Amino acid sequence: MSAPPDGLMMVLYIFLSFWLALALAAALQPRLLWRVVQGWQSAQEPPALHFHLMRIGGVVVSILVVWYLFF
């Protein structure tokens, strides 16, 4: 089986870089990310547990994307 075309790999790297940026934002600044993405829809902030889970999810996704990109 042959390798995928270079253009397809470039699209994959751009896609994964986008997800890495979002995951890092969730890991480092979950409240800011929530305000930008969902804050305009809500009258009040969610509980602190929501932000802790966003941070954990951001770290997990960041690790997976970095692992896929470099290993």
Side-chain angles (χ1 to χ4, degrees), residues 5-71:
D6 288 338
L8 183 61
M9 290 304 294
M10 182 63 72
V11 170
L12 178 65
Y13 287 138
I14 291 170
F15 178 76
L16 289 175
S17 297
F18 172 76
W19 279 106
L20 180 61
L22 280 177
L24 287 174
L28 299 174
Q29 293 289 328
R31 287 187 193 276
L32 176 64
L33 185 63
W34 177 83
R35 272 189 233 120
V36 170
V37 175
Q38 296 176 345
W40 60 274
Q41 299 174 356
S42 179
Q44 59 185 354
E45 265 192 4
L49 178 63
H50 179 81
F51 297 114
H52 292 302
L53 292 175
M54 278 181 71
R55 188 167 296 218
I56 291 168
V59 168
V60 169
V61 171
S62 296
I63 290 169
L64 290 174
V65 170
V66 167
W67 177 77
Y68 184 80
L69 284 174
F70 295 108
F71 298 106

